[in-house]
Amino acid sequence: MTVWQTTGRLTKTGYARNDCGRTLRLNIVWARGTDGECYTVQPGGTISSKVARGVRTFDGADTC
């Protein structure tokens, strides 16, 4: 799994790409608040989750 974040003027977006050879259930993990929704991700697929800028930090992705 590859994870990364982009930061805009008002929001932060966390991304996760399934680099495994099998389908995974993934979500984006944010500190100090609710994590992103859980998605079924096919091999090579990417998910994202957007939050307002501020105290929340991107903690990667996890299986769910």
Side-chain angles (χ1 to χ4, degrees), residues 3-4 6 8 12 14 16 23-24 29-30 34 38 40 47-48 56:
V3 297
W4 69 97
T6 60
K12 300 176 189 180
T23 301
L24 298 175
V29 179
W30 295 101
T34 305
C38 187
T40 300
I47 62 168
S48 66
R56 306 216 35 212

Side-chain angles (χ1 to χ4, degrees), residues 33-60:
T34 305
D35 293 337
E37 201 173 320
C38 187
Y39 293 98
T40 300
V41 187
Q42 301 296 322
T46 301
I47 62 168
S48 66
S49 174
K50 186 178 288 193
V51 297
R53 284 188 66 172
V55 299
R56 306 216 35 212
T57 55
F58 177 63
D59 283 348

Side-chain angles (χ1 to χ4, degrees), residues 2 7 12-13 15 17-18 21-22 29 31-32 36 44 47 52 54:
T2 301
T7 303
K12 300 176 189 180
T13 306
Y15 298 89
R17 182 178 62 236
N18 179 0
R22 60 187 173 90
V29 179
R32 299 178 199 90
I47 62 168

